Amino acid sequence: MSTVILLLVTGLGLGALYFLVAAGLSLIYGLMGVLNFAHGSFLTIGAFAGFELSRRIGDGSWGALIASMVLGAIVGMVVAALTEFLLIRPLYTRHIEQVLVTVGLALASVALFEGIWGTDPIYTAKPAWLGQTTLILGARIPNDRFLLIGCAVLVLIAIVVFLKRTRYGLIIRAGVENRSMVTALGIDVRRAFTLVFAIGGAAAGLGGVLSSVYYGYVSAHLGGSLLIFAFIVTVIGGLGSLAGAAIASVLVALLQQFANFYLGGTGDLAVVLALAAVLLIRPRGLLGKKA
């Protein structure tokens, strides 16, 4: 029983990390129709920014971690907004070019990160409590999982409230339904769409710092490895569905954890098979809209 509890809670922690990355992907595609293959770069630059700040103000302290999380989110937000403004905005009606530009940016950013920080992982410190465990129903749960789960829940609530309760959220949703009508009313939809990219980048940047807490290191390939699972989560949950991304994040992470433990480390294979099954049985995903 304790093993099942451990796998459940750690799976929720991993799912929270997947959601922080997939939330931006799902939000950007659902509201703007852009598949952003450079999204992992926002995560990586956020992680490195957080690492640089943390080591300067004191590794292993709560203050350093919180400051790193804030900076990571800000850096991810700024880089994402600049990416949309400079590279994506001129290509909104040219989807093939969008893909090529974002893939090229992803590859170039990895080379840039390796040139600055090197090719080897850089191990990071975290507050002592996060390295300890808490006993729950006989299972010793790593405390850093609770931080990941809490942050993911807060991000989900914040995005939903923004889209449903704010003026810009209303403009974004209206612009998605009928962009020309909103523009005719004198509202600059482009600015709202840049804001969508910024929100997705902020979630990814925060996820980058938290991924360094989860894995214990930062590297130039951190965003790329997580982006693969984020795309799987986004497809299984339904392209453009934030709720679907949240549900799929948990399901994918739990499947991965249980398959790794009970089926000899076959978690990644199980996730890929689940993706294939969803594409064959329900191509639009769990909560995706019909075309």
Side-chain angles (χ1 to χ4, degrees), residues 57-231:
I57 65 177
D59 276 339
S61 67
W62 278 105
L65 176 60
I66 294 172
S68 298
M69 291 165 61
V70 173
L71 180 64
I74 292 174
V75 170
M77 176 180 65
V78 171
V79 173
L82 289 174
T83 300
E84 189 279 338
F85 182 76
L86 297 174
L87 299 177
I88 303 299
R89 183 176 293 186
L91 303 174
Y92 272 126
T93 58
R94 300 157 61 185
H95 299 290
I96 298 299
E97 286 86 345
Q98 284 178 8
V99 172
L100 293 176
V101 165
T102 56
V103 169
L105 180 60
L107 295 175
S109 63
V110 170
L112 176 63
F113 299 147
E114 288 183 338
I116 297 174
W117 286 284
T119 58
D120 296 327
I122 302 173
Y123 294 95
T124 59
K126 57 186 176 183
W129 184 80
L130 293 178
Q132 298 171 0
T133 59
T134 297
L135 188 64
I136 298 179
L137 298 177
R140 292 204 166 273
I141 310 298
N143 290 337
D144 56 9
R145 274 44 170 191
F146 302 124
L147 175 65
L148 292 169
I149 294 169
C151 288
V153 171
L154 290 176
V155 168
L156 175 60
I157 294 173
I159 293 176
V160 170
V161 170
F162 169 78
L163 291 175
K164 294 186 178 296
R165 302 293 183 183
T166 67
R167 178 176 178 272
Y168 263 106
L170 177 62
I171 291 172
I172 290 168
R173 289 186 289 120
V176 171
E177 295 297 329
N178 194 328
R179 182 172 179 173
S180 58
M181 181 194 71
V182 176
T183 303
L185 294 174
I187 299 173
D188 189 355
V189 179
R190 295 175 302 175
R191 184 180 302 173
F193 282 2
T194 302
L195 183 58
V196 172
F197 247 83
I199 293 172
L206 174 61
V209 176
L210 292 174
S211 66
S212 70
V213 173
Y214 183 90
Y215 293 110
Y217 67 86
V218 292
S219 77
H221 298 277
L222 188 61
S225 60
L226 283 171
L227 185 65
I228 295 172
F229 291 102
F231 268 116

